[in-house]
Amino acid sequence: MKNTEKLTVKPTFVKTANVRNAESMMDGLALADGEGRFGLVHGRAGRGKTRWAQHFVANNRNCHYILALHIWRNSLGELLKRIAFEIGLISPPGRVGALFTAISERLVKTRPALFIDEPEKLTLGHIELLRDLTEATAAPIIMVGEEDLLKMMSKHRRVWSRTYQQVEFKPFGVADIVQYAAAAAGVRFTSPSAAEVMFKASEGDIRIVRRDLINLVQILNAKGVAEADEKTAAAAVRQALHDTADYQGV
Amino acid sequence: MDHTRKTTMPDKIRAAMKKMAPDEQPVHVSKLALALDLTWGDDKRAMHSAIKDMVKTGEICRLGKGVLVYRGLDKKPDIKSAMWAVLRMKRTVTISDLQELSSASVDYAKEFLGMLVKRGCVERIPQKGRIVFRLIDDEGPETPMDTKKAEKLRRIREEKKRAMAEIDKAGDALMTASQALVTARMLVNDLDEGVADGTE
């Protein structure tokens, strides 16, 4: 069927299975109110973990996001100072002990959710500090990181026993691609095998799916249709690889 | 034994704000203190401390000095706050990032980023095929307000208030004149008709 309207890829946050599982974990953490708890979101790069965390923090009250920095490895104080800044503590104390106390006093009152992104860059000492913080204040702390993070936390009983739930962000699946293409661009696949072509090319990486969808939309607009078959999906993937090769000077 | 939960200061503030401003209208903190019947310094200090905590959780939003808006316990942050949060988290954003992560429209995102560029806390960087915006001065978690726009709106409201006062004044003057006219007519009608008209 001919499509007279031009398709565009709109910036859309799609609630994939990974996102639904993570939000279910957040609902559970909220119910565990009164107890110190970690939530853990992990998975390989490119699966949308950080994007989800940033979307959640931006669209929910009483949440704070902190990206861990490698340079903090030698100082617990730097992590605490960053937390103090995010929760709005004006003129926090300089000494680590007093700073921890000031932060705890604020967190006990406001009980926000703290998202720590890439905590695998930090040391076990930092993780223990965060454990003390969540135990002292009952403010949930959500750790978002790659595969190393799961190993780091599960190795230490005191930390692992405080972990309420862990959610693995799996590769973007065929169903997620179908949902994303429909929500972001109004594109329909004529058969599951068409979506599978994009799935195989992306290996579940959401960034590659997005790139391929842009090419797919261009091809569909040229044809004047809104439905993609296997051949069209393959052409979009080839186009993306061709563009990448051009860019790399191959 | 009385098992009823004692009403806390945040509960009193919530009830008062909901009553005074059910549609999220701005409320001045002095009016809130009056509604809560707080006159002494110690009582007001408790109110200010509770407001500070409620601002932190987002239940109350501070529009300006002493001006509060009650947002409620379960409401999502407004889009401007969401955009500011995204910018602080990502440090470098495109308009598309703000659309996706904070559900802002293109125009609103452009307006907000434009305001921040003028303010000097964001820089606009053209790259091949797109424009990115980089946060260069993180002012903290509270959303920067568009003070120029807020000032303009405040001026318009004040002028409107003055104009309405003039209309009311003119209305009162008309009422007075109308009453004087009625009184004068009655006096004329009550005049004795036996008064000489100069024909005798």
Side-chain angles (χ1 to χ4, degrees):
Chain A
M1 190 161 71
K2 279 278 177 187
N3 182 50
T4 48
E5 257 184 61
K6 256 191 149 45
L7 300 171
T8 52
V9 181
K10 294 185 203 77
T12 309
F13 185 79
V14 178
K15 291 209 174 178
T16 58
N18 286 331
V19 170
R20 289 194 299 273
N21 289 338
E23 292 195 343
S24 186
M25 178 194 73
M26 294 306 297
D27 290 339
L29 275 169
L31 286 173
D33 193 30
E35 297 178 48
R37 285 282 182 262
F38 283 117
L40 174 57
V41 172
H42 62 98
R44 266 177 59 184
R47 293 198 182 161
K49 305 179 299 297
T50 295
R51 202 90 176 158
W52 164 75
Q54 290 171 345
H55 181 266
F56 191 93
V57 170
N59 291 280
N60 285 278
R61 289 198 188 283
N62 211 21
C63 296
H64 304 284
Y65 171 92
I66 291 152
L67 175 64
L69 300 181
H70 194 265
I71 204 163
W72 293 347
R73 285 184 74 86
N74 297 325
S75 165
L76 294 177
E78 291 301 319
L79 171 60
L80 287 175
K81 275 188 212 161
R82 188 70 211 175
I83 294 173
F85 182 68
E86 286 302 323
I87 64 176
L89 271 185
I90 300 165
S91 312
R95 286 181 9 258
V96 170
L99 182 53
F100 181 90
T101 305
I103 290 171
S104 300
E105 281 170 6
R106 173 60 63 84
L107 293 187
V108 155
K109 282 187 207 169
T110 56
R111 297 247 204 97
L114 291 179
F115 287 71
I116 314 288
D117 198 3
E118 302 183 22
E120 61 272 28
K121 289 178 189 166
L122 305 174
T123 66
L124 179 60
H126 291 83
I127 309 298
E128 293 272 11
L129 174 74
L130 292 169
R131 188 191 66 98
D132 289 343
L133 205 54
T134 186
E135 271 199 9
T137 64
I141 297 180
I142 296 89
M143 311 281 251
V144 181
E146 294 187 14
E147 302 102 316
D148 287 345
L149 176 61
L150 177 62
K151 283 183 209 154
M152 195 179 182
M153 287 185 64
S154 59
K155 243 182 4 184
H156 300 283
R157 193 188 50 80
R158 273 199 312 269
V159 168
W160 194 238
S161 66
R162 280 267 165 268
T163 303
Y164 169 77
Q165 192 180 339
Q166 52 106 354
V167 171
E168 185 191 354
F169 264 45
K170 299 197 169 78
F172 220 48
V174 173
D176 293 327
I177 290 172
V178 169
Q179 188 188 0
Y180 177 60
V187 166
R188 292 181 302 280
F189 292 99
T190 54
S191 63
S193 55
E196 266 179 38
V197 167
M198 286 184 67
F199 170 67
K200 281 185 187 141
S202 67
E203 292 181 345
D205 188 324
I206 192 172
R207 290 177 281 225
I208 297 176
V209 171
R210 196 176 283 137
R211 180 201 67 188
D212 290 346
L213 182 62
I214 290 170
N215 286 329
L216 182 61
V217 160
Q218 282 172 354
I219 294 172
L220 291 175
N221 280 336
K223 285 183 167 184
V225 296
E227 287 187 349
D229 56 19
E230 210 175 314
K231 215 167 129 185
T232 319
V237 166
R238 266 198 313 274
Q239 179 62 37
L241 291 171
H242 181 261
D243 290 345
T244 309
D246 269 352
Y247 179 73
Q248 289 172 345
V250 171
Chain B
M1 195 187 297
D2 185 4
H3 291 283
T4 54
R5 186 172 158 263
K6 198 177 153 194
T7 310
T8 60
M9 180 58 78
D11 289 337
K12 288 181 195 167
I13 291 171
R14 255 172 225 128
M17 293 282 284
K18 278 181 193 172
K19 194 172 174 187
M20 284 161 46
D23 297 319
E24 296 190 19
Q25 305 95 303
V27 171
H28 199 273
V29 70
S30 57
K31 288 211 165 87
L32 178 61
L34 209 63
L36 294 173
D37 207 16
L38 300 174
T39 43
W40 299 105
D42 286 344
D43 294 337
K44 278 188 180 173
R45 252 193 292 277
M47 178 191 75
H48 284 295
S49 175
I51 288 172
K52 202 170 159 185
D53 289 335
M54 291 165 90
V55 166
K56 293 292 167 208
T57 60
E59 191 178 349
I60 285 179
C61 177
R62 221 186 277 275
L63 277 191
K65 198 174 176 183
V67 180
L68 310 170
V69 167
Y70 185 71
R71 293 243 181 263
L73 279 165
D74 298 316
K75 295 246 176 83
K76 283 174 57 162
D78 59 275
I79 291 178
K80 197 184 270 187
S81 301
M83 285 196 284
W84 179 241
V86 170
L87 181 57
R88 292 187 68 241
M89 286 186 282
K90 290 183 66 65
R91 297 322 227 196
T92 303
V93 298
T94 59
I95 303 272
S96 301
D97 288 329
L98 295 185
Q99 286 179 272
E100 182 183 336
L101 295 174
S102 58
S103 308
S105 67
V106 172
D107 289 338
Y108 198 22
K110 280 183 182 167
E111 185 192 319
F112 181 65
L113 289 168
M115 185 269 288
L116 293 176
V117 166
K118 277 191 196 144
R119 206 181 163 96
C121 54
V122 161
E123 65 172 350
R124 186 177 177 275
I125 307 170
Q127 285 184 351
K128 0 178 209 193
R130 62 180 196 163
I131 294 170
V132 299
F133 295 85
R134 188 163 67 202
L135 183 67
I136 51 177
D137 181 14
D138 187 352
E139 296 181 2
E142 278 216 32
T143 313
M145 303 305 285
D146 186 352
T147 45
K148 273 194 188 153
K149 194 175 176 182
E151 186 57 45
K152 189 178 171 188
L153 283 170
R154 214 180 347 262
R155 267 202 314 271
I156 291 171
R157 272 188 227 116
E158 274 167 20
E159 278 169 25
K160 195 175 169 183
K161 205 170 159 186
R162 262 197 297 271
M164 291 303 290
E166 290 297 317
I167 290 171
D168 286 342
K169 204 171 155 188
D172 288 341
L174 268 169
M175 284 294 292
T176 310
S178 167
Q179 286 204 348
L181 204 56
V182 166
T183 309
R185 279 196 206 282
M186 282 170 65
L187 281 172
V188 163
N189 288 338
D190 287 347
L191 274 175
D192 187 356
E193 288 184 13
V195 169
D197 60 0
T199 55
E200 290 170 358

